[in-house]
Amino acid sequence: MAVEVLLDAGVVTRCRRRVHLDHDPTMRGAELAPPDPTSEQRIADAQAHRVRIAEWLRTETDGSWAFIPAELSSAERAELTRVALREGVAYVWGAVFPLDRDGGRRGGINLLVRTSDGYVPVLVVRHRITDPGEGARTTVLPGVDPDRAEPDPRRKVRSHPRDLLRLAHTRRLLEAAGHAERDRAIGGVVGLDADVVVWHDLTAATWPGGRTALEEYDERFADRLAVARAAASRGEPLAQPSRILECKRCPWWPVCEADLAKARDVSLVVRGEDAAELRRAGISTVDQLAALDAGDESPIQWTGTTFDDAVALARAWLADLTVVRRVEKVHVPRADVEVDIDMESFGDSGAYLWGCLLSGADIGVEQGYRAFVTWDPLPTDDEAHSFARFWAWLSEVRIRAAALGLSFRAYCYNALAENRWLYASVERFAGVEGMPTREEVRRFVESDEWVDLFRSVSDQFLCSRGKGLKVVAPVAGFSWRDPEASGEASMRWYRDAVGMDGGVPDEQQRERLLQYNEDDVRATHALRVWMSDEAAHAVPFMGEL
């Protein structure tokens, strides 16, 4: 007898191997990675966000409402949803659909909105869904009528493929239940700011290659359903383990890691499609990759690296080397006056701390570490004041250095994060006293004074175990004082530091965050000093492996 498999919307953005393991009866009782507290807290925050939105919409929106209690069983919730849809309730919150046994689907949606021709789904998420620009089709909340959506002159859609795929899954469930609109397939998303609904046409060619969201969803879902059915029936697995970015937060990683290490799988050093292509070319292990001659013709077309680098990475992995040099001589731009900078943010809510380490020539400003921070829970207008203080201090350092005829540079590790909040701060808080203009920030970011040390590491080193600061800085002899130091842990510390969950703000966690930030900027400093002085003779050159 065939085993029934019913999948939710999440499978289309999950690794195929994870889908297999989730449905493989032989894996019951396997040792899994412990739950990630940061992920669990993120889920709890999203749920609290949805509760606030639901209560607000109910009080501000005309029309009948049905609230499906989350504490009921799935079957009970599905029956209440079925009754609400049959009766034509205007708004259904917390809907759960009857099982779509023919399609292999199950699931629900935050909100269903009745139109003249059926129901459309609305997803409520805790991330930002638009950027400054134009073209997004929106209705201003609390209005959730898609027929009143208009092109927004101030917003453009921020890409979130997962949101579109979840809406497509709901569309198929609505069709199976007989309550989908006939003439159009649309869905809405309410984001973190909860000011508008962004409406998406699921039949528009918005996906790479001119595909629609529904076409992309249908193909992915059919694939994951086949993988799950093969696993559930103990048939030949349709998905094998391969290391990808998702692995570090997957509960099945201990299982896959053991399998990959035992097989010495090539994905341990080469990720994604490159690893898959190598296997198709008959190169499935690190050893086989390391044995290739980088001077020979490449066995595949590379997307994430180069042939020479891949071979060197494999050889570094076999030699248990964290980093090897790609260049004969390592170079880092240096200056008379130097500042190392690290920013701490809390998700999409804002940047609450800018930490700086001043070193080099004396310019009449006290050297060492300083932090510009707000402990008001984000989002808060006080974020503008802490950023303005940071920018004023940085500007003073630059001006003093220039007045003395001294060169200046500021350093960070991976400027994508810092640049995001540099620009976001001046856009969100334009007009606040002391706030620079976007043009001032742009001139600084695009100048030689702003150095992304992550790029320097990427250009000059191969890193067999990742290029994160926590991986690379220890090679330079640096260590963090807090054994739990990580970006994920800092999110938990921040909640306690500001009393986000209703408790008393924890002064010890504030000090912990300041120490963590200080260590990050000192790690950046230590890494670039090491790269300037010792790296050329301390790290093997890839040509020597």
Side-chain angles (χ1 to χ4, degrees):
M1 178 182 295
V3 179
E4 182 177 58
V5 173
L6 297 166
L7 304 180
D8 61 23
V11 297
V12 294
T13 52
R14 287 191 197 121
C15 161
R16 299 173 77 245
R17 183 63 179 177
R18 178 175 177 178
V19 175
H20 171 93
L21 293 171
D22 283 342
H23 293 86
D24 184 349
T26 67
M27 296 308 300
R28 290 171 188 156
E31 183 177 349
L32 305 181
D36 176 21
T38 304
S39 296
E40 291 188 320
Q41 188 60 65
R42 193 176 294 118
I43 292 170
D45 289 344
Q47 181 57 31
H49 174 65
R50 293 185 184 103
V51 169
R52 289 192 295 270
I53 297 299
E55 291 301 320
W56 176 52
L57 290 180
R58 180 165 62 173
T59 60
E60 297 293 331
T61 306
D62 294 331
S64 55
W65 278 82
F67 273 74
I68 311 301
E71 63 271 15
L72 298 181
S73 69
S74 293
E76 291 171 319
R77 294 172 69 194
E79 176 59 21
L80 289 175
T81 301
R82 186 187 66 79
V83 171
L85 298 183
R86 185 189 64 200
E87 294 179 351
V89 174
Y91 305 100
V92 182
W93 184 271
V96 172
F97 295 99
L99 300 177
D100 177 12
R101 299 186 186 279
D102 291 337
R105 295 179 183 84
R106 60 182 174 87
I109 191 68
N110 305 126
L111 177 63
L112 290 173
V113 178
R114 181 170 56 80
T115 69
S116 61
D117 191 34
Y119 283 87
V120 296
V122 176
L123 184 66
V124 181
V125 296
R126 198 175 178 274
H127 52 249
R128 287 196 164 85
I129 57 176
T130 63
D131 289 313
E134 60 182 22
R137 290 190 61 82
T138 66
T139 52
V140 177
L141 286 172
V144 287
D145 183 354
D147 293 328
R148 297 190 177 185
E150 296 180 348
D152 196 317
R154 298 184 299 112
R155 297 177 176 88
K156 66 178 180 180
V157 173
R158 179 181 288 192
S159 177
H160 285 292
R162 183 180 179 185
D163 294 351
L164 292 179
L165 294 171
R166 291 172 69 185
L167 290 172
H169 184 83
T170 307
R171 168 70 187 188
R172 294 304 187 217
L173 284 166
L174 273 168
E175 291 171 346
H179 288 283
E181 282 197 328
R182 289 188 295 272
D183 295 332
R184 59 181 179 176
I186 63 172
V189 183
V190 176
L192 176 64
D193 295 328
D195 52 354
V196 297
V197 184
V198 174
W199 295 99
H200 298 273
D201 182 353
L202 304 179
T203 62
T206 55
W207 220 266
R211 294 160 63 83
T212 71
L214 280 173
E215 289 171 340
E216 182 71 20
Y217 164 80
D218 287 340
E219 183 173 311
R220 290 195 191 195
F221 188 83
D223 172 72
R224 300 309 194 270
L225 186 59
V227 169
R229 284 173 171 169
S233 62
R234 305 193 186 191
E236 186 69 24
L238 300 182
Q240 298 298 330
S242 186
R243 191 177 185 191
I244 59 174
L245 190 62
E246 183 184 333
C247 291
K248 63 182 180 181
R249 289 187 175 88
C250 178
W252 290 105
W253 175 236
V255 174
C256 290
E257 182 181 31
D259 290 342
L260 293 171
K262 183 178 179 180
R264 302 172 73 84
D265 188 81
V266 70
S267 68
L268 293 170
V269 295
V270 178
R271 311 288 172 80
E273 187 59 28
D274 287 342
E277 287 295 318
L278 283 172
R279 292 193 199 95
R280 284 191 278 270
I283 302 163
S284 60
T285 69
V286 178
D287 306 74
Q288 289 172 319
L289 179 58
L292 298 178
D293 188 338
D296 291 343
E297 182 179 354
S298 174
I300 67 168
Q301 288 283 74
W302 298 87
T303 59
T305 185
T306 67
F307 182 34
D308 289 357
D309 286 356
V311 172
L313 276 171
R315 293 174 179 176
W317 188 87
L318 292 176
D320 198 27
L321 296 171
T322 301
V323 298
V324 294
R325 280 182 290 122
R326 300 179 67 197
V327 295
E328 293 279 3
K329 181 172 178 58
V330 176
H331 171 71
V332 178
R334 300 297 299 270
D336 300 319
V337 179
E338 299 176 328
V339 176
D340 295 279
I341 296 174
D342 184 68
M343 172 276 310
E344 305 293 344
S345 62
F346 186 73
D348 282 340
S349 298
Y352 64 91
L353 193 163
W354 293 85
C356 304
L357 179 68
L358 175 63
S359 58
D362 183 8
I363 58 172
V365 177
E366 183 180 357
Q367 296 196 354
Y369 172 77
R370 70 194 61 224
F372 303 90
V373 60
T374 175
W375 295 120
D376 289 352
L378 294 170
T380 171
D381 289 342
D382 195 48
E383 180 190 348
H385 303 138
S386 62
F387 178 82
R389 292 194 301 272
F390 155 71
W391 187 261
W393 178 87
L394 182 66
S395 299
E396 181 186 3
V397 170
R398 296 167 68 195
I399 291 169
R400 283 176 176 255
L404 293 171
L406 301 173
S407 59
F408 168 84
R409 280 194 168 95
Y411 305 83
C412 66
Y413 200 81
N414 198 347
L416 284 175
E418 272 71 20
N419 288 353
R420 173 193 176 188
W421 288 108
L422 282 168
Y423 283 119
S425 297
V426 299
E427 288 168 355
R428 290 160 58 222
F429 302 117
V432 173
E433 184 178 356
M435 191 64 54
T437 65
R438 180 181 176 84
E439 178 60 21
E440 288 178 87
V441 169
R442 186 195 64 78
R443 286 199 300 267
F444 169 67
V445 166
E446 295 180 3
S447 74
D448 291 338
E449 291 184 344
W450 187 226
V451 180
D452 184 356
L453 202 59
F454 177 82
R455 181 175 296 179
S456 296
V457 169
S458 300
D459 290 344
Q460 300 179 90
F461 294 94
L462 294 174
C463 306
S464 65
R465 290 169 175 80
K467 290 182 285 191
L469 187 61
K470 304 295 189 301
V471 176
V472 179
V475 179
F478 187 85
S479 60
W480 277 256
R481 285 170 284 180
D482 195 316
E484 297 181 27
S486 70
E488 291 81 5
S490 72
M491 297 290 183
R492 303 197 304 273
W493 304 342
Y494 176 79
R495 302 185 69 88
D496 295 335
V498 300
M500 184 170 284
D501 299 315
V504 177
D506 190 328
E507 292 290 339
Q508 289 186 327
Q509 294 294 62
R510 292 183 179 184
E511 290 301 318
R512 194 177 193 182
L513 284 166
L514 291 171
Q515 177 182 279
Y516 167 67
N517 180 262
E518 179 179 358
D519 281 356
D520 274 358
V521 293
R522 291 193 181 279
T524 305
H525 178 270
L527 180 58
R528 63 183 176 79
V529 169
W530 173 81
M531 289 171 66
S532 299
D533 299 339
E534 304 174 44
H537 58 80
V539 176
F541 177 55
M542 61 183 286
E544 301 168 354
L545 294 177

